[in-house]
Amino acid sequence: TVVVIVATDKDDGSNAMLTYQITAGNLANKFAINSTSGVLTLAQSLDFESTTNYSLTVTVTDGGSPPMSSTIDILITVTDANDQTPVFIKTPYNAHFLENTTVSTRLFTVTATDVDTQQNYGEISYSFASATASLWGSVFSINATTGTITLQQELDYEQTK
């Protein structure tokens, strides 16, 4: 349930029977309304990255003859969820450096983006996959915030080729 719309009618009998309908703003039929209860629900999932708000008009009509009606505008604001996967700017990353590269040298930086916008949702934390960490974690380190890969110990080409 998104919202319950409640209207009243002072008529009696069938003249007081109310019918609700969305009469404007229901882009791509994202919302549905129960015509007798006024309960507005989602008919489809919403995506903050494509649409951040919806402006609906709901009309309620009584059972009289002629029927009487009233409208209300409803603004629905969509909030972001952490639903997007970070994406590396470039893949694969290839780096070449000499075996006599000094320990603590910054070798290169990996970069990813995340289109989620809420605070903390779009923040990226870098780390090596467990298999990479077990093989190379003592040789290389990655800065969790910047993605910079640093040499942690001396290299020996003949040993690692």
Side-chain angles (χ1 to χ4, degrees):
T1 300
V2 175
V3 68
V4 178
I5 299 152
V6 178
T8 58
D9 189 315
K10 292 184 180 181
D11 289 333
D12 292 325
S14 63
N15 288 352
M17 225 167 50
L18 300 176
T19 304
Y20 299 86
Q21 66 181 21
I22 301 170
T23 52
N26 196 9
L27 304 174
N29 296 315
K30 295 285 187 178
F31 301 91
I33 192 163
N34 181 298
S35 63
T36 56
S37 69
V39 173
L40 184 69
T41 57
L42 285 177
Q44 300 176 31
S45 59
L46 306 179
D47 182 17
F48 176 86
E49 283 76 25
S50 63
T51 306
T52 58
N53 59 58
Y54 295 85
S55 181
L56 303 177
T57 301
V58 173
T59 301
V60 60
T61 305
D62 71 9
S65 181
M68 305 292 283
S69 65
S70 182
T71 62
I72 186 168
D73 292 324
I74 301 168
L75 178 64
I76 298 167
T77 302
V78 181
T79 56
D80 199 8
N82 189 12
D83 61 343
Q84 302 296 315
T85 303
V87 176
F88 282 101
I89 300 296
K90 174 180 150 181
T91 183
Y93 281 88
N94 294 308
H96 303 277
F97 37 90
L98 299 173
E99 70 177 323
N100 64 350
T101 301
T102 308
V103 171
S104 298
T105 297
R106 292 182 181 126
L107 302 172
F108 63 98
T109 300
V110 296
T111 305
T113 60
D114 186 334
V115 296
D116 285 317
T117 60
Q118 288 285 57
Q119 185 177 0
N120 299 327
Y121 289 167
E123 293 178 9
I124 296 172
S125 178
Y126 299 94
S127 62
F128 290 129
S130 58
T132 301
S134 65
L135 283 173
W136 300 104
S138 63
V139 180
F140 304 103
S141 66
I142 186 166
N143 182 297
T145 305
T146 66
T148 300
I149 310 283
T150 304
L151 183 62
Q152 294 299 303
Q153 72 180 39
E154 292 181 1
L155 299 173
D156 184 347
Y157 175 78
E158 288 74 26
Q159 224 177 11
T160 59
K161 62 178 176 177

